[in-house]
Structures are given as C-alpha cells and as structure tokens.
C-alpha cells in the first residue's frame, strides 16, 4: 500500500486565490510527522511546513497552512493568496518515528498559478 | 555554512561503469539520507544513516552502497550502472524534523 497518496497530478489557481492540495497517508505508527515540500522548475527541494501527529493545532507558516484531519489520515496543504512564484511541484511526505526514521514521499502535484 | 553539497552536478555513465556520488554537510547533523527522483515522480529513499558508522536500507537500495565514516560525508556508490538508475539523486541531512537537501546530481546511464 502507498504510504502517501496525492491524487491531483495538476492544479490551476488564479493569482490571489487560495488553493488546497490533497494528501492522504497510511501508517500504523502512532508517532509520525507530515511534511510539505515545494520543488520549483530549478529542481531544489524547499521545506514548507511540518505537522506532528500529536500536535493539536493545524500548522501554519505564513501563507501556508496544513489542514490536518487525523481520523481521515489527511494532511492537505492550503496556500492562501496565490502568487505567480508559487507555480511548482508540491510533495507531501511522512516520517514514521518508531519504525526506522524513513521518509516517504508522494508523487507530487503540479501547481500552476494563472495571472 | 555551505549546507549540503553534492558533486558532481551532472554525469553520464555507460552501462556497467561505476561511480561515487559525493555528499557533504557542514551542519554537524547526525541523520543523512540519499534519495532518487525519477521523472515526474516523488523521492524514493535509497539509504540513510543515523550517525557515523551506521547505515540502513531504504525503499530502493538495490544497486547501491553507502558508507559513513565521518559525520560530514555520506557517499553513494553505484556499481555496474544500469539504465534504470538514470535519475536525479538528492542527498539530505536532518536535525529535528527538518531535512536540508543538496542541489541534486542528474545521472544518465546509457
């Protein structure tokens, strides 16, 4: 079974609008972390936001927020007030803390911001 | 701080050749990782290390070897390169929950 599933290969959003990128995960480890990374066309991996499995509040970092629904095993990324520079690939990832510290990545969502 | 550096940036190998991808970090992080990213896909973990002298396999270790003799360096060795190893390779180090990625090595095996 896939550990991380991203079902949206591509998304479009109008500049200044908000967009939600979906991510579901699968784990039986009670202690885990969820991450979102941005990969622009230049190729580098940029860390955006982190959510721990025991965190009560949804994580926020500037225009990024993580909609964490533990019972549904979902960790959607919300980008508010989209900018042209947000056009990139976005990857959801998970680390299981009690089973080897490995990271698992989804297949990514390509976001295009339209002027 | 240079962060995580990788060399080379690009490499073309012939089938059956061997090479070592270098990765160095200057942040004194214990955790280090090697990933590959195939076109249009996410990253898959090849090997990781929790400290000098300790390495372990990730999801896709076949065809690769690693060593970790110092905290700073975590080289990835490809023996008998195959076309299926054509990919972009990323090295990363971690402290706490945050991973710091290198710029990647684009490898083509023909």
């Amino acid at each position: 079974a896939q550990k991380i599933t991203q079902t949206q290969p591509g998304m479009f959003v109008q500049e200044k609008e908000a967009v939600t990128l979906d991510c579901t995960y699968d784990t039986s480890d009670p202690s885990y972390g969820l991450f979102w990374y941005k990969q622009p066309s230049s190729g580098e991996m940029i860390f955006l936001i982190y959510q721990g499995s025991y965190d009560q509040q949804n994580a926020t970092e500037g225009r990024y927020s993580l909609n964490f629904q533990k019972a549904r095993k979902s960790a959607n990324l919300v980008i508010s007030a989209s900018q042209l520079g947000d056009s990139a690939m976005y990857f959801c990832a998970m680390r299981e803390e009690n089973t080897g510290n490995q990271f698992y990545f989804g297949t990514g969502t390509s976001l295009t911001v339209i002027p | 701080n240079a962060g995580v550096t990788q060399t080379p940036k690009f490499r073309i190998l012939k089938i059956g050749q061997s090479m070592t991808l270098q990765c160095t970090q200057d942040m004194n992080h214990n955790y280090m990782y090697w990933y590959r990213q195939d076109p249009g896909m996410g990253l898959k973990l090849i090997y990781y290390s929790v400290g000098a002298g300790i390495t372990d396999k990730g999801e896709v270790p076949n065809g690769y070897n690693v060593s970790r003799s110092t905290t700073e360096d975590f080289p990835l060795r490809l023996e008998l390169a195959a076309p299926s190893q054509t990919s972009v390779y990323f090295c990363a180090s971690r402290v706490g929950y945050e991973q710091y990625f290198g710029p990647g090595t684009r490898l083509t095996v023909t």
Side-chain angles (χ1 to χ4, degrees), chain B residues 29-30 45 61 87 95 109:
Chain B
H29 293 167
N30 284 326
L45 184 65
S87 193
V95 64
V109 182

Side-chain angles (χ1 to χ4, degrees), chain A residues 39-45, chain B residues 6-13 19-22 34-41 64 76 78 83 85-91 102-110:
Chain A
Q39 188 177 43
S41 57
S42 51
E44 73 267 33
M45 295 292 289
Chain B
Q6 293 182 238
T7 56
K9 285 189 170 51
F10 304 94
R11 183 72 187 267
I12 298 174
L13 276 184
M19 76 164 293
T20 299
L21 280 64
Q22 301 291 347
W34 272 108
Y35 297 92
R36 59 177 287 171
Q37 184 179 27
D38 297 334
M41 302 295 288
Y64 307 94
L76 177 72
L78 279 73
Q85 293 178 303
T86 293
S87 193
V88 178
Y89 291 83
F90 287 98
C91 178
T105 293
R106 187 174 295 274
L107 177 67
T108 302
V109 182
T110 62

Side-chain angles (χ1 to χ4, degrees), chain A residues 35 39 43 91 100-101 103 106, chain B residues 35 37 42 48 90 94 97 99:
Chain A
F35 305 79
Q39 188 177 43
F91 293 98
N101 280 292
F103 279 81
Chain B
Y35 297 92
Q37 184 179 27
Y48 67 101
F90 287 98
R94 178 172 72 86
Y97 61 74
Q99 281 191 104

Side-chain angles (χ1 to χ4, degrees), chain A residues 2 35 37 39 43-47 50 61 89 91 95 99-108, chain B residues 31 33 35 37 40-45 48 50 57-59 90 94 96-99 101-103:
Chain A
Q2 293 286 338
F35 305 79
Y37 291 87
Q39 188 177 43
E44 73 267 33
M45 295 292 289
I46 301 167
F47 165 75
Y50 165 81
E61 290 284 349
M89 285 291 291
F91 293 98
R95 180 171 66 91
T99 53
N101 280 292
Q102 296 195 32
F103 279 81
Y104 300 93
F105 282 76
T107 51
Chain B
Y31 291 89
Y33 302 84
Y35 297 92
Q37 184 179 27
M41 302 295 288
L43 278 66
K44 288 196 180 293
L45 184 65
Y48 67 101
V50 302
K57 297 178 181 178
E59 276 186 277
F90 287 98
R94 178 172 72 86
Y97 61 74
E98 189 166 349
Q99 281 191 104
F101 283 88

